[in-house]
Amino acid sequence: MDVLLKVNGTEHRLAVDVRTTLLDALRERLELTGTKKGCDLGQCGACTVLLDGMRVLSCFTLAVAAQEAEITTIEGLAGENKPLHPMQKAFLEQDAYQCGYCTPGQILSAIACVQEGHANSADQIREYMSGNLCRCAAYPKIVAAVQQAKLLMEGP
Amino acid sequence: MPDGNQTIIGQPAIRIDGRAKVTGMARYASDEVVANPAHAFLVTSAIARGRIRGFRLDAARAVPGILDILMHGNVGGEAEKPKPMSGGDTTTTLESDRVWHDGQIIAVVLAESFEAAREAAHKVEVDYEAEPPSATFGSPGVEEEVRKAGEHKDYKVGDAEASFAVAEVKVDARYGTPTQHHNPIELFTTTCEWRGGKLTVYEPSQFVYGLRGSLAKQLRMDPGDIHVVSRFVGGAFGSRGGITARTAWIAVAARRLNRPVRLVATRDQGFTIVTYRAETRHHIQLGATRDGRLTALRHEGWEVTSRPSEYNVSGTETTARVYACPNILTKVNIVHADRNTPGFMRAPPETPYMFPLEVAMDELAVALNMDPVELRRINDTQTDPATGKPYSSRSLMPCFDQAAERFGWKGRNPAPGTMRDGDWQVGWGCATAAYPANIGPAAARVTLTLEGKARVQIAAHDIGTGAYTVIAITAADRLGLEIGKVVVELGGSELPAAGLAAGSSHTAGICNAVAKACEGVRQRLAQAAVTSNDGPLAGQDPAKLTLSAGALRAPGGAAEDLPKALARVTTGVLEVYAENIPKGLPPESIGKVYQGQMAMSRGHSREDATTYTFGAQFVEVRVHALTREVRVPRAVGAFAAGTIVNPLTAHSQYMGGMIWGISAALHEATEIDPHAARYVNDNIAEYLMPVNADVRSIEVIMVPEQDAQVNPLGIKGIGEIGIVGMNAAISNAVWHATGRRIRDLPIRIEDLL
Ligand code: FES
Ligand code: FES
């Protein structure tokens, strides 16, 4: 069936199987492979994207159901040779990853976490970032990165 | 080689591949773009033992978009089974109608889309001839045998049985560790593409040459016709060390369809189509004098493996040499069950084997009424007790002292159950961590351009360890360049060979090879500069010239800028290839790596010395007085691992290892249905791993240590040691909090009721 997806400000018209997840549409059809598949079961958070600024699991969202929304993926935060989003910069500087596979999902989740107002303390960040598994276990540095970026995102 | 000024090695550096990772541009294997791929979905066996009588495929073949179904009957002869890196034989998949374990690959469905392949795979019906399977230790039908010496050996020093019998103080106990699965967040994927007779394989790998070599044998091809690409790996932890069965079948599928094929195996399939950490059992006997000196150490282990495999980790090779002891006896048994073949998982031998030793040491300290740190001090040694060889360096007690100080250990009341904070019983525990300093042969090519940039090519693997960056750091240090001037190419079998990224051997192996190639560059430049008639370095001793800050420099201050020095030897680029053969390995060992075989100098089997990394780990646990929930609010680890190339990523490695230890002690276990021999919690919601809210303060201390003997750069490796002492430290802390001695992992609420 035909769908219209608005991804990172660009409209894409494509024909998908009705069962196609937003995750597979992004990765397999639009070659936006920054969004990762870690379980396809809603358990890991690696596939997190923003739909109208809200974090959702793209493996648990059908492509047909994402048509009305503005979709933001990791590729939409900073273009090639463009300045990084404060959250990307914070992950880079804090070494808030190892293999980097969970990182796109962590970064989008972290941006939403700050915007939701759920980044007011280390404990709150830990709780509200617990939907994103990191098998490399960069958790303490992810908390530090969210704290660093929050200051820049919210301004003085 | 003359020492560079070493201003860059040892300084924290942000990952050179970091921008790619935070922008989504890093290409993991399944992100690589191939034209119009067909999608594969695996069909796996629903029984654990028996034979396949036949398939009923009408429903599957009726699915729109289906392209082909691979089974024993149509492709079984097109590939051979893979040869594991360790343990000899393994189970078959499509080569036979035999079922060796639950979840074995028995068919591969190919379709135009992932959705169609999945639907068709679910419609494949299988007729089995099932036999009752044996699941694990104690199941009827398992076969137990003593592990033969070969890959691993046993130790017999003095007379441990007689000394134990007469020991003044004794510990005699049995311990167990569970099945665990690596569960990297990146799934197990394979993409294959043929061009003419040449095959490209995109697959996350810890050993691209190993994958190429094995696949060539399996498909009866020339290895030169296979190209393996693995630029970024989404976590490995041992799971991507050896090739597994899926790869050859995806290659066969792509050849049959004459079209690229992509497999992204599901999370539950990842529990059975690759390896895992097998469950273990242990019997430990420690004898000691009343003043705490060990007089006897016996360690016997049991490990589960598959029916055909002799895989085992034999961690007694480490436990036999951690403490001074005149009488040592070790033995390892393997138990064959109807299971998939196990394999490497983070600190493969030490995680399950140091747990019982270090809990037993804590029990001994209690029996002696002695501080556990003091017990380690009394039995510390600079001589390997199993062989009598010296340790090249061993900083165990500096690690204990620094970690104890930071932790505040001296405030501990030694009596159990005496520290309390509201509803929480508080306990403190500690343990030793030890891991051999291993190193493999590797080759590297360094190319210097007239613009003063360097390119380093080496088939290394960055599994999250920071390999890209340590290579750039080493080259920058040795060539006198800024890190930003170095480009690193790794993760492909088109590059000079490097070995398996495992066993904490990789940084040592690859950085020494890169340093050697850089030394070749320096020698070429130095020779040309000193023999020139005009330059500022004419007539100098070439051995004394160094590259630093963009120039070739003599000790007295004379210098020539790099572009000028380079122009003396080339009008284009200067390219140097070098191979590094670690001490004790034969020159042909690099050839083995090119062929895809394991070649490694191991810390406990060197002629000249025993080379090990040591650490000390301290944890606080809190056990809720009513719910018995266990928490770890803080942990301190101190480690001495020789040269630390990049303290920023090293910190992440140690920290990640320590959290893995918390996870192993309190969360992780693959539950096995004893009748069906099937993994029950085969997903990452029910296979418990820590989330952010489970982790509190993790402090890492890097104890300075120089070791000129271990390898030229003095690197010991850090990826594994962070997990090693944590299991025991947590169990020991639980004892201190509650008085309960837990000898089986993981420690769960029900153990503390
Ligand atoms: S891939 Fe969506 S939650 Fe894991
Ligand atoms: S960085 Fe590897 S899973 Fe998070």
Side-chain angles (χ1 to χ4, degrees):
Chain A
M1 91 181 262
D2 285 338
V3 294
L4 179 69
L5 295 177
K6 281 177 270 175
V7 187
N8 304 325
T10 306
E11 295 199 343
H12 301 269
R13 208 169 275 287
L14 62 161
V16 296
D17 189 310
V18 70
R19 298 166 295 183
T20 302
T21 61
L22 176 58
L23 173 60
D24 285 335
L26 292 168
R27 290 182 55 80
E28 304 291 340
R29 305 297 303 283
L30 302 181
E31 288 181 11
L32 290 169
T33 53
T35 307
K36 302 303 182 198
K37 184 182 282 192
C39 66
D40 225 5
L41 292 169
Q43 297 176 340
C44 74
C47 64
T48 304
V49 298
L50 303 182
L51 248 58
D52 294 329
M54 309 261 288
R55 42 181 164 168
V56 301
L57 299 175
S58 63
C59 75
F60 254 30
T61 306
L62 291 174
V64 294
Q67 297 192 81
E68 298 303 314
E70 291 286 346
I71 302 162
T72 307
T73 71
I74 191 75
E75 291 92 345
L77 296 183
E80 218 170 315
N81 303 319
K82 296 269 166 53
L84 296 175
H85 184 283
M87 194 61 77
Q88 292 173 307
K89 190 160 174 285
F91 269 69
L92 187 73
E93 290 172 359
Q94 296 289 343
D95 207 47
Y97 48 56
Q98 285 200 271
C99 76
Y101 200 79
C102 71
T103 307
Q106 300 276 3
I107 288 173
L108 289 163
S109 207
I111 289 170
C113 178
V114 171
Q115 287 170 346
E116 292 158 11
H118 289 147
N120 298 314
S121 66
D123 270 349
Q124 200 184 25
I125 294 168
R126 286 187 195 111
E127 203 59 43
Y128 281 89
M129 288 301 291
S130 280
N132 290 79
L133 291 180
C134 177
R135 185 55 158 161
C136 299
Y139 296 126
K141 297 186 177 188
I142 291 170
V143 173
V146 176
Q147 288 175 318
Q148 175 183 326
K150 178 178 187 279
L151 295 175
L152 284 167
M153 285 170 68
E154 294 181 344
Chain B
M1 59 187 79
D3 231 85
N5 55 358
Q6 294 222 341
T7 51
I8 299 175
I9 289 179
Q11 296 301 312
I14 286 178
R15 290 173 201 254
I16 63 167
D17 53 330
R19 186 178 167 106
K21 284 181 174 172
V22 301
T23 55
M25 293 298 125
R27 292 236 176 250
Y28 299 81
S30 68
D31 302 339
E32 303 274 1
V33 177
V34 291
N36 189 30
H39 294 264
F41 202 98
L42 302 176
V43 179
T44 57
S45 67
I47 63 162
R49 182 185 170 97
R51 292 196 179 273
I52 296 166
R53 280 216 207 96
F55 291 92
R56 277 170 285 134
L57 301 172
D58 291 348
R61 289 205 168 115
V63 172
I66 181 117
L67 296 167
D68 199 358
I69 302 175
L70 275 51
M71 296 156 291
H72 170 57
N74 58 3
V75 300
E78 290 187 34
E80 288 161 22
K81 65 182 164 179
K83 176 140 173 40
M85 287 284 136
S86 173
D89 205 359
T90 190
T91 53
T92 53
T93 53
L94 308 192
E95 310 89 28
S96 156
D97 62 356
R98 171 106 190 238
V99 176
W100 299 89
H101 63 88
D102 179 70
Q104 173 184 313
I105 299 172
I106 55 172
V108 183
V109 174
L110 304 165
E112 291 288 349
S113 71
F114 173 72
E115 293 79 16
R118 179 179 56 192
E119 181 187 350
H122 288 153
K123 288 183 170 163
V124 169
E125 291 174 69
V126 189
D127 292 322
Y128 296 104
E129 194 177 294
E131 296 168 32
S134 312
T136 181
F137 294 126
S139 300
V142 294
E143 298 160 287
E144 179 172 328
E145 60 175 315
V146 178
R147 189 268 288 119
K148 297 179 254 323
E151 273 184 60
H152 302 286
K153 61 171 175 253
D154 301 301
Y155 293 97
K156 184 176 189 333
V157 180
D159 188 340
E161 282 161 305
S163 328
F164 179 75
V166 300
E168 291 171 357
V169 184
K170 297 181 190 186
V171 172
D172 186 341
R174 290 177 181 270
Y175 306 81
T177 65
T179 317
Q180 295 176 340
H181 279 80
H182 318 79
N183 279 310
I185 300 297
E186 182 188 18
L187 293 165
F188 294 97
T189 79
T190 301
T191 303
C192 288
E193 179 173 33
W194 291 86
R195 288 216 186 94
K198 299 205 191 277
L199 170 65
T200 302
V201 181
Y202 302 95
E203 183 175 310
S205 173
Q206 290 171 263
F207 190 13
V208 289
Y209 272 93
L211 201 147
R212 183 183 85 147
S214 177
L215 190 59
K217 281 207 193 81
Q218 290 176 255
L219 297 174
R220 303 165 201 118
M221 287 175 65
D222 178 349
D225 288 336
I226 300 178
H227 182 202
V228 178
V229 179
S230 178
R231 307 292 181 211
F232 286 90
V233 180
F237 316 113
S239 66
R240 322 215 201 250
I243 190 170
T244 60
R246 71 184 191 275
T247 313
W249 299 123
I250 299 306
V252 168
R255 189 165 58 195
R256 276 167 75 90
L257 295 185
N258 194 20
R259 173 177 171 185
V261 172
R262 172 164 296 154
L263 168 73
V264 179
T266 60
R267 178 55 65 182
D268 62 304
Q269 290 170 346
F271 279 71
T272 60
I273 65 166
V274 302
T275 66
Y276 60 98
R277 193 198 298 281
E279 58 273 35
T280 67
R281 298 287 179 268
H282 305 265
H283 181 203
I284 298 245
Q285 292 179 317
L286 295 180
T289 60
R290 258 186 229 302
D291 58 2
R293 279 175 298 113
L294 285 172
T295 55
L297 163 67
R298 291 181 68 191
H299 189 168
E300 182 168 5
W302 288 262
E303 307 181 28
V304 161
T305 186
S306 66
R307 289 287 177 189
S309 165
E310 295 188 8
Y311 182 83
N312 66 90
V313 298
S314 286
T316 43
E317 287 174 311
T318 285
T319 57
R321 48 173 44 92
V322 176
Y323 300 115
C325 183
N327 301 289
I328 301 166
L329 187 63
T330 70
K331 184 181 174 189
V332 173
N333 309 283
I334 53 179
V335 174
H336 298 277
D338 297 304
R339 297 271 298 282
N340 48 326
T341 302
F344 313 126
M345 182 163 156
R346 201 166 197 170
E350 286 71 16
T351 300
Y353 278 75
M354 282 293 281
F355 166 68
L357 177 66
E358 288 302 293
V359 174
M361 285 295 282
D362 203 66
E363 297 183 66
L364 182 61
V366 172
L368 291 162
N369 197 17
M370 180 181 278
D371 183 85
V373 177
E374 282 320 296
L375 180 62
R376 268 78 175 190
R377 194 183 312 280
I378 287 168
N379 291 289
D380 188 29
T381 174
Q382 294 296 326
T383 304
D384 178 345
T387 61
K389 286 177 194 160
Y391 277 102
S392 65
S393 59
R394 171 167 158 138
S395 311
L396 177 63
M397 291 324 294
C399 290
F400 262 106
D401 291 339
Q402 292 188 30
E405 170 79 27
R406 178 79 61 86
F407 188 83
W409 184 255
K410 66 177 185 309
R412 178 179 186 258
N413 179 340
T418 50
M419 291 166 65
R420 186 126 179 173
D421 181 4
D423 278 342
W424 294 91
Q425 294 175 289
V426 179
W428 291 357
C430 66
T432 295
Y435 197 85
N438 304 320
I439 181 170
R445 188 183 299 114
V446 172
T447 309
L448 202 57
T449 70
L450 290 175
E451 301 82 58
K453 290 195 177 151
R455 181 166 63 145
V456 186
Q457 295 171 300
I458 178 167
H461 313 85
D462 195 328
I463 53 178
T465 47
Y468 275 105
T469 313
V470 293
I471 291 168
I473 289 171
T474 304
D477 188 272
R478 295 294 142 149
L479 298 173
L481 300 174
E482 289 162 20
I483 294 173
K485 294 270 162 44
V486 183
V487 173
V488 177
E489 290 173 24
L490 58 68
S493 63
E494 78 283 8
L495 301 166
L500 180 69
S504 290
S505 68
H506 209 50
T507 300
I510 62 180
C511 289
N512 277 293
V514 170
K516 199 166 171 189
C518 293
E519 167 62 8
V521 170
R522 189 202 65 81
Q523 282 176 6
R524 290 278 302 279
L525 297 178
Q527 200 56 41
V530 302
T531 52
S532 71
N533 298 324
D534 50 346
L537 300 170
Q540 295 271 1
D541 176 357
K544 297 227 167 81
L545 302 191
T546 56
L547 285 165
S548 70
L552 187 61
R553 294 174 197 277
E560 182 163 54
D561 283 351
L562 198 52
K564 275 197 199 139
L566 191 56
R568 293 185 191 282
V569 297
T570 177
T571 54
V573 299
L574 173 59
E575 184 180 293
V576 174
Y577 169 89
E579 295 175 347
N580 185 55
I581 314 293
K583 202 170 186 174
L585 289 180
E588 60 272 19
S589 59
I590 187 70
K592 281 181 82 176
V593 179
Y594 271 104
Q595 285 159 26
Q597 294 163 26
M598 270 262 266
M600 202 181 278
S601 157
R602 302 171 72 208
H604 43 61
S605 45
R606 280 171 61 146
E607 284 300 316
D608 59 333
T610 296
T611 60
Y612 259 71
T613 303
F614 286 92
Q617 301 187 285
F618 289 73
V619 299
E620 175 173 317
V621 303
R622 289 176 173 238
V623 181
H624 197 273
L626 302 171
T627 66
R628 311 313 276 157
E629 178 190 0
V630 188
R631 297 244 144 213
V632 178
R634 64 193 184 101
V636 176
F639 309 94
T643 302
I644 300 300
V645 182
N646 185 357
L648 181 68
T649 50
H651 186 279
S652 295
Q653 277 278 69
Y654 284 135
M655 184 184 81
M658 288 173 71
I659 296 170
W660 265 61
I662 296 174
S663 184
L666 299 178
H667 301 284
E668 281 180 56
T670 311
E671 309 292 345
I672 306 166
D673 178 324
H675 303 294
R678 177 178 301 144
Y679 300 133
V680 178
N681 53 338
D682 56 352
N683 62 75
I684 51 178
E686 293 168 296
Y687 182 91
L688 301 183
M689 304 192 287
V691 299
N692 206 320
D694 290 315
V695 179
R696 302 283 144 154
S697 168
I698 307 286
E699 281 190 82
V700 173
I701 301 168
M702 296 184 223
V703 175
E705 183 182 67
Q706 285 182 349
D707 188 333
Q709 190 174 7
V710 65
N711 54 62
L713 291 178
I715 298 167
K716 282 182 166 180
I718 57 175
E720 322 267 9
I721 188 144
I723 184 176
V724 173
M726 290 298 285
N727 289 305
I730 290 171
S731 176
N732 296 342
V734 166
W735 173 81
H736 185 235
T738 64
R740 295 276 188 102
R741 184 61 73 179
I742 311 290
R743 300 188 183 88
D744 282 284
L745 295 177
I747 302 167
R748 295 251 165 99
I749 287 171
E750 50 269 35
D751 299 318
L752 299 170
L753 291 175

